[in-house]
Amino acid sequence: MRIKIAEMTFIILLGLFLMVVFAQFILAGLAVFADPAQWRNHTMLIHLFGFNLPLILLVFAWLGKMKKRVYLQVLGFMVLIFLMYFTANIAGKMPWFAALHPIVGVLLFIGTTLLMVQQIYSYGRRI
């Protein structure tokens, strides 16, 4: 029972993380095309959830006794988040590298979506 609760909590938190990543795209789009003040919200959101949610996901992956690949995928998200910070802050010195920022964001969105689908499918098969 504890494992099922941990798995379901992992899926819910992963869904929250996916929504945060999606919200980042919306906020960046708003900042570019409508209101530059939205950059503050874009920055605040990543500071609130960026590394915190993946760390919590690792805890629930462990509690849910998930496969090693799940841990590796969540650790991969953390690497991508680090790259997001790096590409956002290197713009002054390496603008060509900073241009990879949205591409890393797309990779994070795709990776999170794939893990979400895998976990829902895996959880559903065991019910």
Side-chain angles (χ1 to χ4, degrees), residues 5-6 12 17-22 28 32 36 40 44 46 53 61 68 72 77 85 88 96 107 116 123:
I5 291 171
I12 290 167
F17 185 67
L18 184 59
M19 287 188 284
V20 167
V21 172
F22 184 75
V32 169
R40 186 180 0 230
M44 180 196 63
I46 196 61
L53 266 177
K68 183 179 178 181
L72 293 175
F77 298 160
Y85 274 103
W96 58 270
L107 293 174
M116 183 82 174
Y123 184 81

Side-chain angles (χ1 to χ4, degrees), residues 74 79 121:
V74 175
V79 169
Y121 179 75

Side-chain angles (χ1 to χ4, degrees), residues 18-121:
L18 184 59
M19 287 188 284
V20 167
V21 172
F22 184 75
Q24 287 294 84
F25 281 103
I26 299 298
L27 290 171
L30 283 170
V32 169
F33 297 110
D35 180 15
Q38 292 300 321
W39 285 123
R40 186 180 0 230
N41 294 331
H42 179 77
T43 304
M44 180 196 63
L45 192 62
I46 196 61
H47 290 310
L48 288 174
F49 294 104
F51 282 111
N52 298 332
L53 266 177
L55 284 173
I56 296 168
L57 284 169
L58 284 174
V59 170
F60 280 98
W62 176 73
L63 289 172
K65 299 183 192 264
M66 296 183 180
K67 296 178 180 177
K68 183 179 178 181
R69 110 182 124 67
V70 174
Y71 294 101
L72 293 175
Q73 285 174 287
V74 175
L75 288 172
F77 298 160
M78 295 176 85
V79 169
L80 289 174
I81 291 167
F82 172 78
L83 280 173
M84 294 292 285
Y85 274 103
F86 184 73
T87 57
N89 292 305
I90 198 73
K93 295 182 182 187
M94 299 170 67
W96 58 270
F97 198 72
L100 296 175
H101 187 80
I103 295 168
V104 176
V106 169
L107 293 174
L108 187 59
F109 183 79
I110 291 170
T112 306
T113 302
L114 290 174
L115 182 57
M116 183 82 174
V117 169
Q118 291 168 354
Q119 290 307 115
I120 289 172
Y121 179 75

